[in-house]
Amino acid sequence: MDEELKSLQIDRSKRRSRGRSRWSTWWILLGVVLFLLLGAWRVTSAKFTSAPEVAVERVRAVSPAAAPEGVVLNATGYIVAAHKIEVAAKVVGKVKWIGVEKGDRVKEGQVMVRLEDDEYQAQLEQAKGQLAMLQAKLDEALNGSRPEEIAQAQANLESSRADLENARVTLDRTRGLVREGVMSRQSLDDAQARYDGALHKVNALLKSYELVKIGPRQEEIDALRGQVQQARGMVAFAETNLDNTVIRAPVTGTILERAVEKGEFVTTSFVGDRGAKGYVVSLADLDDLEVELDISQNDFAKLHSAQRGVITTDAFPDRRYDGFIKEISPEANRQKATVQIKVKVAKPDDYLRPEMNASVAFLTGPKPARDPSEPAKPVVIVPASAVRDGAVFVLLDGKAVRRAVKSGAVSSQGIRIESGLIGGEDLIVGPPAGLKDGDKVRQATGKS
């Protein structure tokens, strides 16, 4: 039994052969290195020998007239009436009658509101009376003196002449009696005074007779004419005020707001909400509508005057309206960094209402040429799949060359390229996600 146990005991005194263990380790390490080198060679070989295939399309440039229309910018705003009018009264007064409601269509000249006119009627009658009086005075001056007046003046003159002759005879008689000593010196002085007075009276009546025969002075007639003209102006002013108590529609349009009721007082000056009203109705021509937009200054260069656009509303998205840029604000909004523009709706209908939300898709179109002799720049359009991160890849000598481009309007045929391509380049359509500038590529068979 002991012998058997001894035979099973390990003899640690014996050592393995060192040469055989060393060579085994080296062979294992060599195999691992060869395996790694083979894998690296295959990866590198695949990278440099198998270039990816790409679809290539020749870039074409067309004339602006043949280029399809595309959307260059989308913007949102509000529909507004091109000319909204707040109709105010030209005279103060109390509303006597109002004949319109919100939403009513009115024609130019149609009566909308009447004010109480009693005071203005009285003022007109007073002005007419003043005119009639002054006109009568002018007619009197123009017609001159009546024959009866001339005859009366002449009779007064002859009577005074008779008195003068009597005074002269009395003076001569008194003078003789004074020389004879019959009458005193005082009697002579009294007779002389009566004669002198009669003489002056004759001279005065002679001048009056001549003036009556001649008639009024031209200056007096001109003054009367001026007064008559002034009176006529007062009559016209009173008639205008009376006519202004009837408020009519200045244009054909639709009533947007009715601001007064019967019995309310209307004034011509600014007032508060609780005081007299400054206007009676507001109206606008709903056949003349515009879309008011605030365009970011970064996008402003994409637009120009008279540029076409397609208008849609949130309320009726399936209805489209043609329009064009009618007005561009001459100044920008500093706080918003925007420029306001107005797009005129070419053919509005009853579906459009002021203050509706609206969107405008601006279409490409020829910009006004600064120099008429300058030839039109060709238009380059590429597939949308070719543009990635503001750049495209073109095939050049078997390599993908990256080119930065400036894209423009988008249409059903692709994206318009404003700069970066001129036409004739071999464009890589749908480049692989990992494609980099300078990578080798192969043109796919059947693609050109």
Side-chain angles (χ1 to χ4, degrees), residues 167-393:
R168 185 187 64 79
V169 173
T170 302
L171 176 61
D172 291 342
R173 184 183 303 113
T174 303
R175 186 179 292 116
L177 293 174
V178 170
R179 282 196 301 266
E180 295 176 357
V182 176
M183 298 184 70
S184 63
R185 183 71 182 178
Q186 180 64 40
S187 299
L188 178 62
D189 293 340
D190 293 340
Q192 183 67 43
R194 286 194 298 273
Y195 175 79
D196 293 340
L199 179 62
H200 291 309
K201 184 178 180 180
V202 168
N203 292 333
L205 290 175
L206 178 61
K207 296 297 184 184
S208 298
Y209 173 68
E210 292 176 352
L211 289 175
V212 169
K213 290 175 61 178
I214 295 173
R217 296 175 56 183
Q218 186 62 39
E219 291 81 356
E220 294 178 355
I221 295 175
D222 293 341
L224 289 172
R225 282 176 175 162
Q227 293 176 10
V228 169
Q229 187 67 25
Q230 183 179 12
R232 286 175 179 168
M234 295 301 297
V235 171
F237 179 71
E239 289 176 344
T240 301
N241 284 341
L242 179 61
D243 185 63
N244 286 334
T245 59
V246 179
I247 303 175
R248 305 175 185 272
V251 296
T252 299
T254 302
I255 302 296
L256 303 180
E257 179 187 3
R258 168 177 161 166
V260 296
E261 297 294 338
K262 181 179 178 180
E264 287 190 309
F265 194 78
V266 177
T267 183
T268 58
S269 58
F270 176 78
V271 292
D273 294 337
R274 297 182 180 274
K277 299 300 177 66
Y279 67 98
V280 292
V281 298
S282 64
L283 62 87
D285 183 3
L286 298 187
D287 292 331
D288 189 7
L289 298 179
E290 297 174 345
V291 181
E292 192 173 86
L293 305 162
D294 289 331
I295 303 299
S296 171
Q297 295 183 26
N298 297 330
D299 297 326
F300 181 65
K302 300 177 182 179
L303 306 178
H304 57 83
S305 180
Q307 186 167 355
R308 292 180 55 246
V310 178
I311 303 167
T312 57
T313 61
D314 295 347
F316 305 100
D318 56 331
R319 304 187 68 85
R320 298 176 180 273
Y321 304 88
D322 291 331
F324 61 91
I325 296 179
K326 177 185 177 181
E327 178 184 312
I328 299 177
S329 176
E331 62 179 356
N333 188 311
R334 182 189 302 178
Q335 286 74 22
K336 297 181 180 179
T338 59
V339 177
Q340 186 183 87
I341 68 170
K342 292 184 178 180
V343 177
K344 182 176 178 60
V345 184
K347 295 180 179 180
D349 55 23
D350 293 338
Y351 290 91
L352 297 183
R353 295 286 187 276
E355 304 305 323
M356 269 187 174
N357 293 338
S359 300
V360 182
F362 292 99
L363 306 178
T364 55
K367 294 184 178 181
R370 296 182 179 178
D371 185 4
S373 61
E374 182 180 354
K377 183 180 178 181
V379 176
V380 175
I381 299 178
V382 301
S385 60
V387 182
R388 189 177 68 190
D389 297 331
V392 297
F393 287 94

Side-chain angles (χ1 to χ4, degrees), residues 98 183 198 240 402 413:
I98 182 167
M183 298 184 70
T240 301
R402 187 178 185 274
Q413 297 187 13

Side-chain angles (χ1 to χ4, degrees), residues 46-79:
K47 180 178 180 180
F48 287 98
T49 60
S50 59
E53 288 188 350
V54 292
V56 178
E57 181 177 314
R58 182 64 54 86
V59 177
R60 295 179 177 85
V62 298
S63 64
E69 287 187 332
V71 177
V72 68
L73 179 66
N74 287 289
T76 57
Y78 299 93
I79 295 176

Side-chain angles (χ1 to χ4, degrees), residues 427-438:
L427 181 70
I428 298 177
V429 180
L435 188 63
K436 299 181 180 60
D437 186 21

